[in-house]
Amino acid sequence: IVDTPGHSDFGSEVERVLRSIATVLLVVDAQEGPMPQTRFVLKKSLELGLKPIVVINKIDKPASRPEIVHELVLELFMELGANDEQLDFTTVYAIGRDGIAKRSLKDESKDLFPLLDVILEEVAPANEKVDAPAKLQSFNLAYDNFLGRMAICRIYEGKITSGQTVFVKEPNGNTYSGKITKLYTFEGVTKKDVAEAHSGDIVMIAGFPNIFIGETISGEEGGDPMP
């Protein structure tokens, strides 16, 4: 789960994060309705072809108006050019502070399982082409005093292992090879040293001191770079 800033000042960061995820939970306040940052993140999500799940939160506020807010969200989707599939979004109602979610305002609920069930139903599993050559894309960078520059990537296809030789595709068409010297996945906000990772995983890799955001890492030299 990735929390992203909604403000347009963080535009490039939002766009990078949206390239790394499978869907968007668009959280909207049940009293205030869509805010400027709601518009910004939703616009970027729709442009990438994502189908957001709408979460109308804080339905316990004395002045909450969830039905009206739902209509305002629908209008915003239409205004931003959502296609028919995106307009047919699922709405979940929540009290985040209490850890409660429900599919209908009339439902009884004591936990977040209704939201988690919607995610399992609507979000396609990661591409399970386990036998395909690895394909990753760097969407952020990190730095380690011992390992130097590290690339944070999503694995789109295949699997990678620590010590594997892979190929980096630069925007100018150049390709160079290198070895993954360290491989991490994430558990919450902490990173975990692993021997291998699979499609759908978010990983952090070392061994490429000159890598930049947006570059494709491939398990085969002739693989096509991602846009």
Side-chain angles (χ1 to χ4, degrees):
I1 298 173
V2 186
D3 185 21
T4 173
H7 200 278
S8 57
D9 287 355
F10 296 95
S12 61
E13 187 174 340
V14 171
E15 290 191 49
R16 292 202 303 267
V17 167
L18 287 174
R19 290 299 295 268
S20 71
I21 49 86
T23 198
V24 169
L25 300 180
L26 190 75
V27 183
V28 184
D29 188 293
Q31 178 180 328
E32 296 171 350
M35 305 293 280
Q37 57 265 37
T38 316
R39 168 184 287 272
F40 181 76
V41 175
L42 179 58
K43 182 174 184 288
K44 296 296 180 188
S45 305
L46 296 174
E47 286 171 357
L48 283 172
L50 295 165
K51 182 184 177 184
I53 296 166
V54 174
V55 181
I56 297 180
N57 191 31
K58 302 183 182 177
I59 56 172
D60 57 329
K61 277 186 171 182
S64 78
R65 43 182 193 146
E67 292 97 341
I68 294 171
V69 166
H70 181 273
E71 290 303 312
L72 293 172
V73 172
L74 178 59
E75 287 173 14
L76 183 59
F77 268 70
M78 295 170 73
E79 192 182 321
L80 294 174
N83 61 35
D84 289 347
E85 187 188 0
Q86 291 168 327
L87 283 172
D88 187 26
F89 58 80
T90 300
T91 303
V92 178
Y93 301 91
I95 308 171
R97 184 187 56 204
D98 298 343
I100 292 171
K102 51 180 79 175
R103 296 196 187 204
S104 166
L105 288 166
K106 300 187 184 82
D107 292 350
E108 291 294 320
S109 179
K110 59 183 187 303
D111 53 37
L112 284 173
F113 279 108
L115 173 60
L116 301 178
D117 288 340
V118 166
I119 294 170
L120 287 174
E121 288 165 20
E122 299 213 358
V123 183
N127 188 328
E128 287 299 334
K129 292 183 184 171
V130 191
D131 300 328
K135 183 174 277 190
L136 303 77
Q137 188 171 38
S138 166
F139 67 89
N140 213 340
L141 301 173
Y143 186 81
D144 182 278
N145 285 336
F146 300 102
L147 299 169
R149 182 185 291 194
M150 303 181 73
I152 302 174
C153 312
R154 175 178 172 179
I155 306 177
Y156 287 91
E157 291 181 8
K159 70 172 186 177
I160 57 169
T161 56
S162 185
Q164 178 181 351
T165 297
V166 292
F167 300 89
V168 179
K169 315 278 181 178
E170 295 181 323
N172 60 12
N174 290 342
T175 298
Y176 66 89
S177 64
K179 184 179 284 189
I180 298 172
T181 57
K182 202 75 172 169
L183 176 62
Y184 296 102
T185 56
F186 294 90
E187 284 187 357
V189 293
T190 59
K191 63 182 195 283
K192 178 184 176 185
D193 194 349
V194 294
E196 68 175 41
H198 301 261
S199 57
D201 285 339
I202 303 290
V203 295
M204 185 155 69
I205 60 174
F208 304 90
N210 299 313
I211 196 159
F212 284 94
I213 287 168
E215 294 182 347
T216 302
I217 300 165
S218 177
E220 58 177 357
E221 189 170 3
D224 293 326
M226 297 181 66

